[in-house]
Amino acid sequence: MTCSLPRLALPIALPIGLLAAALCCALPGPAWAAANPAPGNTLDVRGADIRAFIQDVARATGTSFIVDPAVQGTVDYSNPQSMSQADMLGVLLTILRSHGLVAVPAGQGTYRVVPDQGAAGQGTGSNAHFATQVIGLRRIDARIAAETLKPLLGRGGVVIATPQGNSLLIADYSDNIARIRSLVAQIDSDNASIDTLTLRNSSAHEIAATLNALFGVRGEGGSQVLSILPVESSNSIVIRGDAGVVQRAINMAAELDRRAESTGDVRVVKLQHASAEQLLPVLQQLIGQGEGSSNAPASGSATATTNGSSTLDPNQAVLITPAGGKRPTLARAPGQNALIINADPETQRTLMEVITQLDTRREQVLVEAVVVEISDEASRKLGVQLAAAGRNGDIPLLGTQFPSSQPGIMGLIAGAAAGSDDSAWAQSARSAAANSLLGLSGGLAGIADQAGDVLFGAIITAVRSDTGSNLLSTPSILTLDNEPARILVGQEVPLTSGEVLGDANSNPFRTIERQDVGIALEVTPQINAGGGITLKLRQEVSSVAGPVSASYNELILNKREIDTRVLVDDGAIVVLGGLLDQQQRQTRDKVPGLGDIPLLGRLFRSDANSDTRTNLMVFLRPTIIRDRADAQRITAPRFDWMRDAQLALPGQPRGGEAALDALVRDYLRSAPPQLPAPADAAAGTPQ
């Protein structure tokens, strides 16, 4: 094996050439050259292994490098100008940094060359190019500062917040740490002024909202000028910001509070969303006033009764104590959804805070249910019936008849034996025979004849029935939060609840009760703070199955009902319950002994088999509707679905207008609902 010495761009020979000659056989033909620290030396490196380059710089600068086994890569660098030892060492550190490597000090004139991912755990020294420092903070939180500084760190840099001492532990390049320390010194300062004002006649929330609207945000960037915080316990506001702006805000708040003192003791509050009728008893309980009573004492609290009124309970304390001994009074303005408050300013302020928190837009819940029922029923019947009888009673009646084989042969024999007799019995027998034949299902084959006074006959019946059904219903209803709602799609079916015939059928009468039959959904939703929805619901699917029997015309009702209370996430589909039912029935009617005879026994027995399977599932999906945009997103797809269903009907002109669109335009004088724009869908439109 041979190798060629690389070209040296040095005027004198150095020991570096000997090392390069030893390494060139392991390199795929690199072209490199290193320069010694003497003036006029140049550096020209082409595709050199970085480990060999580090060793050459170490020899040229007199510095020791400990190279980690994970260090890999090639170096391309050219500088025709002369370089000193310090310049050459700086070039090496820059090349290492570009390769994701760092040189960590490990003693006097010694460095460790390691990947920058692990550099944070290496030791440091003075004037190190990768260092670890602790920066103490005085005003800002260390965890917030650490998250803010992470994007400013170099590759491999680490910043850790130490909450115990509210300081930052930073490991990074020395120059970057110096820049970060300078930035932290500017951020960790507070020149703002803080002032507090206690209000006597106004609400802290109201004044804070007013000041925020005036001073809170300024400019397109939304820079914060003042921080205004209401304190409910003392009815005060705390203002923080520039000293001059803080003083202006304090003066304005004091002026607003002074003017509120002269507004009077009577105030009319028009509610935006809440019901005055429902809110009045709650507020009366707070001040100890019974509804409709003007002589209620100032102590004690109101207790709600079953009819919606409230009475005083002297054993309970009043939650809002009036100031100055003046008894507050509340009243409702019928027809205007407004409350009238007659109280001192302090009590008015407290009541207004309660009203503001309660008078908010109520959320709605759309409850959609899906009822799926799939059933399959198959049955088979095969039977043989025999009969023989004499007209004059000389020959006893002989025959076989089974419940699973219809029509029964005995009824037919009785009708034939009646002949032309006009007696009541004969007429009844002929009528029963005719009815059994009219109600025949399946196949019927038989023979009948007469030999003298002997009648005989045989019937073979065969029936096969297959019934399948796929029932799908989707009731849905929209209701306010905590408000019950009910939807029914069906009929009222009359059912007999009582019957009296009287003596000798002299005054008969019957009482009828009508019952709802169809699809019914009753639900009361409750939206929880965690985002879930508690549903108290009752789902019923009922239908008329028909009369009990041919001789008893009372109706049989099929009913599937679920009455439960569940917790469902917003927009999630859950199964409320269901039924998986499979029934197999095999029936054999036979004459003892004769029905067991091989082959011939088929004449003395009847077989019936039935297989019934029913799959029933009820699914539920609640959706919270918070604003107008949510309502549009729910309404528009359903409106489009109904429009497309109308246009798909036979006889509709292609490209024509649906009747639903024409009705909305001409009768409602409105436009069909549309999906909200993306901006509205993201932010919503408050109401």
Side-chain angles (χ1 to χ4, degrees):
M1 179 175 64
T2 61
C3 61
S4 60
L5 291 175
R7 176 180 57 85
L8 298 179
L10 300 177
I12 59 175
L14 292 175
I16 301 176
L18 300 177
L19 178 60
L23 295 176
C24 69
C25 296
L27 300 175
W32 56 269
N36 65 9
N41 294 339
T42 62
L43 186 62
D44 188 7
V45 178
R46 301 286 187 232
D49 183 76
I50 193 170
R51 300 173 65 89
F53 181 75
I54 293 173
Q55 294 184 18
D56 291 344
V57 172
R59 291 178 178 273
T61 61
T63 305
S64 299
F65 292 94
I66 303 173
V67 183
D68 189 272
V71 174
Q72 300 292 336
T74 59
V75 178
D76 291 297
Y77 182 78
S78 177
N79 188 358
Q81 299 180 0
S82 62
M83 300 178 64
S84 63
Q85 289 185 356
D87 294 338
M88 188 175 295
L89 186 60
V91 169
L92 174 61
L93 295 179
T94 303
I95 292 175
L96 292 178
R97 189 168 184 174
S98 66
H99 282 71
L101 304 171
V102 293
V104 181
Q108 184 68 28
T110 304
Y111 293 89
R112 292 194 189 97
V113 180
V114 297
D116 57 6
Q117 290 84 354
Q122 303 293 330
T124 59
S126 59
N127 299 324
H129 295 276
F130 198 87
T132 301
Q133 294 186 16
V134 177
I135 301 177
L137 303 175
R138 293 181 297 173
R139 294 180 177 86
I140 61 176
D141 185 78
R143 290 169 293 186
I144 299 177
E147 294 296 328
T148 305
L149 296 176
K150 279 182 180 180
L152 304 178
L153 298 178
R155 293 182 57 185
V158 177
V159 57
I160 301 175
T162 58
Q164 293 81 1
N166 195 37
S167 58
L168 297 175
L169 178 63
I170 302 179
D172 200 352
Y173 297 100
S174 298
D175 55 349
N176 203 24
I177 290 181
R179 180 171 61 91
I180 291 176
R181 180 180 287 275
S182 175
L183 293 175
V184 170
Q186 300 178 39
I187 297 174
D188 190 26
S189 61
D190 187 6
N191 298 323
S193 174
I194 300 178
D195 203 346
T196 303
L197 175 64
T198 301
L199 305 174
R200 299 179 57 86
N201 308 302
S202 304
S203 168
H205 281 283
E206 182 180 0
I207 296 299
T210 303
L211 296 181
N212 272 318
L214 293 175
F215 301 98
V217 178
R218 181 181 61 186
E220 296 181 358
S223 57
Q224 193 72 18
V225 177
L226 289 181
S227 296
I228 304 172
L229 180 66
V231 181
E232 298 182 6
S233 59
S234 60
N235 193 39
S236 306
I237 56 173
V238 180
I239 305 178
R240 178 181 179 273
D242 181 75
V245 181
V246 168
Q247 188 59 42
R248 289 173 54 196
I250 288 293
N251 294 338
M252 178 168 290
E255 177 65 18
L256 293 176
D257 186 51
R258 183 188 62 79
R259 294 189 178 187
E261 185 178 4
S262 60
T263 56
D265 295 339
V266 179
R267 184 169 185 176
V268 178
V269 182
K270 294 185 178 181
L271 303 179
Q272 300 294 326
H273 306 283
S275 170
E277 183 179 2
Q278 297 178 355
L279 189 58
L280 180 62
V282 178
L283 300 178
Q284 287 177 335
Q285 292 183 35
L286 298 179
I287 62 175
Q289 172 191 345
E291 183 179 7
S293 173
S294 59
N295 299 322
S299 61
S301 64
T303 303
T305 59
T306 56
N307 59 1
S309 62
S310 52
T311 58
L312 292 177
D313 184 0
N315 296 325
Q316 297 182 2
V318 177
L319 300 180
I320 299 178
T321 303
K326 182 178 181 180
R327 181 185 306 161
T329 305
L330 295 177
R332 176 174 65 91
Q336 297 189 23
N337 195 38
L339 294 174
I340 303 174
I341 304 176
N342 182 14
D344 58 273
E346 180 67 19
T347 304
Q348 284 190 24
R349 179 191 61 80
T350 306
L351 291 175
M352 284 302 302
E353 291 181 357
V354 176
I355 293 174
T356 302
Q357 298 182 43
L358 295 178
D359 187 24
T360 58
R361 179 188 176 97
R362 295 179 63 181
E363 297 177 333
Q364 302 179 88
V365 178
L366 174 66
V367 181
E368 301 169 285
V370 178
V371 183
V372 184
E373 181 177 352
I374 303 174
S375 62
D376 183 15
E377 181 178 357
S379 63
R380 297 185 303 274
K381 298 179 182 179
L382 178 61
V384 179
Q385 301 177 85
L386 305 174
R391 283 182 176 272
N392 300 323
D394 299 336
I395 300 176
L397 178 63
L398 301 175
T400 61
Q401 179 172 309
F402 307 105
S404 59
S405 297
Q406 296 295 332
I409 193 172
M410 292 305 176
L412 300 179
I413 289 293
S420 59
D421 188 0
D422 293 335
S423 63
W425 175 87
Q427 293 179 3
S428 177
R430 287 193 296 270
S431 177
N435 290 334
S436 64
L437 290 176
L438 293 176
L440 173 66
S441 62
L444 173 67
I447 58 173
D449 203 351
Q450 178 178 355
D453 293 334
V454 179
L455 297 175
F456 62 88
I459 295 178
I460 301 176
T461 56
V463 179
R464 178 183 177 88
S465 175
D466 291 305
T467 303
S469 64
N470 183 8
L471 303 179
L472 177 65
S473 57
T474 57
S476 60
I477 191 170
L478 178 66
T479 180
L480 285 172
D481 182 26
N482 284 314
E483 290 290 342
R486 181 175 186 266
I487 182 175
L488 171 65
V489 181
Q491 297 175 322
E492 287 189 349
V493 177
L495 300 176
T496 302
S497 60
E499 184 176 13
V500 177
L501 298 178
D503 297 337
N505 201 21
S506 59
N507 186 23
F509 68 90
R510 176 182 297 176
T511 58
I512 300 297
E513 178 183 352
R514 296 188 177 273
Q515 181 171 339
D516 294 333
V517 175
I519 300 173
L521 174 63
E522 300 178 7
V523 61
T524 303
Q526 176 184 326
I527 302 176
N528 304 325
I533 307 172
T534 301
L535 296 173
K536 180 182 179 183
L537 58 90
R538 176 178 172 269
Q539 171 73 60
E540 177 183 317
V541 179
S542 57
S543 60
V544 179
V548 176
S549 63
S551 59
Y552 189 62
N553 58 2
E554 293 298 330
L555 299 179
I556 297 176
L557 301 182
N558 296 328
K559 182 177 290 188
R560 288 112 171 120
E561 180 179 352
I562 293 179
D563 192 346
T564 183
R565 188 181 183 95
V566 296
L567 176 62
V568 190
D569 291 332
D570 179 22
I573 299 178
V574 297
V575 58
L576 294 182
L579 172 66
L580 303 178
D581 184 23
Q582 182 171 358
Q583 298 180 6
Q584 293 181 343
R585 178 176 296 178
Q586 297 180 352
T587 304
R588 170 167 290 185
D589 300 320
K590 64 182 179 179
V591 177
L594 297 178
D596 297 329
I597 300 175
L599 299 180
L600 187 62
R602 171 62 67 179
L603 300 175
F604 300 97
R605 70 172 182 261
S606 175
D607 296 331
N609 298 327
S610 65
D611 186 1
T612 304
R613 288 173 293 181
T614 302
N615 297 332
L616 173 65
M617 287 291 172
V618 179
F619 301 91
L620 189 77
R621 179 177 183 262
T623 304
I624 299 177
I625 299 179
R626 296 180 170 85
D627 49 33
R628 184 173 61 186
D630 287 345
Q632 290 293 97
R633 279 194 294 270
I634 293 296
T635 305
R638 288 157 178 79
F639 190 92
D640 296 340
W641 190 90
M642 292 300 295
R643 177 198 296 121
D644 296 340
Q646 282 188 342
L647 294 176
L649 293 176
Q652 294 291 328
R654 178 171 298 180
E657 184 183 29
L660 184 59
D661 287 335
L663 180 66
V664 171
R665 184 192 67 247
D666 300 334
Y667 181 74
L668 299 181
R669 300 186 182 277
S670 179
Q674 301 290 335
L675 287 174
D680 294 338
T685 303
Q687 296 296 318

